[in-house]
Amino acid sequence: MSSVDVRPGKASDMLNGDVLADAGESGKSGTFSITHQVDSTETDMFSRLRLSAFFRLLQKVSVLHCEALGAGRKVTLDRGILWVVTMQHGEFTRMPCYEEKVIIETWPGNTVYSLFPRYYRMLDTDGGELARVSSIWTHVDMNSREVIPPVKSGIKIDQVVTGNEISMPVVPRSIAPERNVNYRVPYSYIDLNHHMNNSCYFDIAENEFGPSREGRPVREIDAQYSGELHLDDEIKLLTGHEGNRYFISGEKKKRMFAISMVYGQKEGTLILRGGVQASGRTVGCRHVRCII
């Protein structure tokens, strides 16, 4: 279950009766947040929020914020314009556990030509920072799949500066492949944009990377989506690693996507009645083992 909160500011808009948001001013307020409790369907086998579920939450808060800023469905999807994410960079302290409540916060960066940067933070209920993410979005014509610049779409989103921005995404650095497997895009990964949703790429990566199934936490990710994958598309997955950094790419006639993940070391856990304590912290998992 999720609820939406708004940082103080000037111009607010009510959506669906329970969503408040503020466009804010550059350098001041203008962030937008939701509070979310991690559900069992969003966790991995270690009771942590899965990467794919995390990035779906980022999509959700992005959509809600764009709606509040007047850049939502009526001026995009209903006009044949799609919001598409092209690159992401993430830095993680830890992933929240089952039933833990977190705050997902977002704000827009400075638009450059047809690129719309957007930033995110995930916080625990005490204000502790769990993750920071930067991303680059763009507008694409639903039919031609060509990029639509703001001068044609008429959509303008003002920059907000909070001081919590991290570096923008970069192209993931390749690693020589150690494994090569064939992969076909399943029906369940296709979204309303008629292509594989970007969050699903992280499921593919974690299915291939050994450290994920060992319970080792992800500390950093870089992702690039350089082409669309559609239903039943067949690609080759190339995976490799150097030390704690793992790399995967999807190859068709060209590279369709690439993801780099840096893993930390697995930490011990102690099961407590009221939660799980790890590294001196007690978090919101109850009666379950949660590797942080």
Side-chain angles (χ1 to χ4, degrees):
M1 180 179 294
S2 301
S3 60
V4 178
D5 185 29
V6 183
R7 305 299 182 190
K10 295 192 305 182
S12 60
D13 185 21
M14 182 71 79
L15 299 172
N16 300 326
D18 62 354
V19 177
L20 285 172
D22 189 330
E25 295 179 347
S26 178
K28 296 183 180 180
S29 180
T31 63
F32 183 97
S33 65
I34 65 172
T35 299
H36 180 79
Q37 185 170 20
V38 178
D39 184 80
S40 61
T41 61
E42 300 171 319
T43 62
D44 60 16
M45 62 188 288
F46 303 100
S47 299
R48 296 175 307 203
L49 181 67
R50 290 194 317 276
L51 270 176
S52 59
F54 170 71
F55 281 98
R56 278 193 288 274
L57 286 173
L58 299 195
Q59 291 177 14
K60 177 177 181 177
V61 71
S62 301
V63 169
L64 289 173
H65 194 197
C66 286
E67 287 283 356
L69 294 174
R73 175 172 178 170
K74 289 184 179 180
V75 297
T76 54
L77 186 62
D78 290 352
R79 294 171 57 208
I81 300 173
L82 306 178
W83 277 107
V84 177
V85 64
T86 62
M87 299 181 75
Q88 293 163 318
H89 171 69
E91 300 173 3
F92 300 85
T93 303
R94 71 171 178 88
M95 276 299 195
C97 294
Y98 171 51
E99 292 191 336
E100 185 175 359
K101 288 185 178 181
V102 293
I103 298 165
I104 308 291
E105 183 180 60
T106 187
W107 63 98
N110 183 39
T111 302
V112 178
Y113 182 55
S114 58
L115 303 179
F116 294 82
R118 179 165 282 275
Y119 299 95
Y120 309 85
R121 286 205 306 163
M122 177 168 62
L123 310 172
D124 62 25
T125 52
D126 293 325
E129 187 175 83
L130 307 184
R132 292 196 294 173
V133 173
S134 63
S135 63
I136 297 176
W137 295 73
T138 192
H139 287 139
V140 172
D141 184 276
M142 183 185 297
N143 297 313
S144 70
R145 312 310 264 194
E146 295 181 353
V147 172
I148 302 175
V151 292
K152 289 188 177 181
S153 69
I155 296 173
K156 182 178 182 295
I157 296 179
D158 292 334
Q159 178 185 18
V160 171
V161 178
T162 68
N164 292 313
E165 293 79 10
I166 60 172
S167 59
M168 293 306 297
V170 297
V171 176
R173 181 170 59 86
S174 297
I175 294 177
E178 303 162 332
R179 177 175 160 83
N180 181 335
V181 298
N182 295 322
Y183 184 83
R184 175 176 288 185
V185 177
Y187 166 78
S188 59
Y189 280 6
I190 305 300
D191 63 17
L192 58 77
N193 290 345
H194 295 177
H195 63 202
M196 190 164 87
N197 188 273
N198 79 284
S199 65
C200 299
Y201 291 88
F202 293 98
D203 281 335
I204 291 177
E206 291 206 281
N207 286 339
E208 293 295 321
F209 294 163
S212 287
R213 63 183 64 200
E214 294 167 4
R216 291 173 57 186
V218 173
R219 295 305 186 206
E220 184 174 316
I221 67 99
D222 282 292
Q224 180 186 34
Y225 313 102
S226 48
E228 293 183 283
L229 288 177
H230 303 98
L231 179 63
D232 290 331
D233 274 356
E234 294 184 353
I235 59 173
K236 285 190 178 296
L237 299 178
L238 306 181
T239 60
H241 83 286
E242 292 178 349
N244 292 324
R245 191 171 75 85
Y246 285 69
F247 176 85
I248 186 170
S249 66
E251 311 286 335
K252 207 174 173 184
K253 292 181 178 179
K254 66 171 186 176
R255 176 161 291 176
M256 306 301 287
F257 76 92
I259 293 176
S260 171
M261 292 189 193
V262 177
Y263 287 87
Q265 296 303 311
K266 183 176 177 180
E267 299 181 13
T269 60
L270 175 65
I271 301 177
L272 301 175
R273 180 174 178 81
V276 174
Q277 185 170 336
S279 301
R281 298 187 304 271
T282 300
V283 297
C285 306
R286 294 183 295 177
H287 313 293
V288 293
R289 177 177 293 274
C290 181
I291 307 296
I292 299 179

